[in-house]
Amino acid sequence: MKSGGLPKHRGGLDARGGKQHMRLRRTFRMALAIPPLLAAAACAPQTSAPKLGNTPAASVSLAPAASEPTAPQPRTSTYKCTDGSVMTIENLGTSVRVLGPDGTSSELPASPANQTSRYGEAHDAIVIDGRDALVMKGGASPLACKR
């Protein structure tokens, strides 16, 4: 008995079903092969060095500008802030002691511990950049100060 009129293929699928089945198998195999390839590409070391012929047109200088001091932060400095207040910052090496305009004193550790420009804990922080200091206290707007 012949049913349909289309020839049968191995597995009992007609000609159209066989082609669809093969497409699905190919798609499934590709779907299995692509994620490991992407993962391998993501693990390959990436270098930020410019490639030959891909160099920037202008050179970038990493040296400080002439107006920036190259000397380390002084032991004690007085800063005048944009709100008119004055504060004193004492550099203790791994921390700074801040004497605020209201006479309160607080000590802030370096954060992270291996650097000399960012200090803070909890909600208070100070970032010192050359002659400038940015003072951030919890619940208040950041305050710019200058030595």
Side-chain angles (χ1 to χ4, degrees):
M1 260 169 116
K2 209 174 183 187
S3 67
L6 294 174
K8 295 275 185 177
H9 287 276
R10 258 189 317 175
L13 297 174
D14 61 31
R16 285 178 297 161
K19 286 184 182 179
Q20 289 175 342
H21 178 72
M22 292 302 290
R23 285 186 195 135
L24 285 173
R25 285 180 77 185
R26 190 174 333 144
T27 302
F28 181 72
R29 281 186 294 187
M30 291 303 290
L32 289 177
I34 289 175
L37 292 173
L38 291 175
C43 292
Q46 302 289 323
T47 61
S48 59
K51 307 260 187 295
L52 184 60
N54 200 15
T55 57
S59 65
V60 178
S61 173
L62 298 178
S67 63
E68 293 181 27
T70 56
Q73 184 72 22
R75 169 87 176 170
T76 303
S77 300
T78 301
Y79 289 82
K80 295 179 183 174
C81 302
T82 55
D83 68 350
S85 64
V86 176
M87 69 175 57
T88 302
I89 299 177
E90 183 181 2
N91 187 344
L92 304 173
T94 59
S95 64
V96 291
R97 183 174 296 130
V98 180
L99 180 60
D102 56 356
T104 60
S105 177
S106 61
E107 192 169 322
L108 299 172
S111 178
N114 63 347
Q115 55 75 51
T116 59
S117 64
R118 295 183 307 257
Y119 302 88
E121 65 183 357
H123 301 289
D124 299 338
I126 292 181
V127 178
I128 299 173
D129 184 21
R131 300 182 64 82
D132 298 319
L134 184 62
V135 180
M136 294 158 277
K137 293 223 175 236
S141 297
L143 182 62
C145 304
K146 190 173 266 311
R147 187 163 31 127

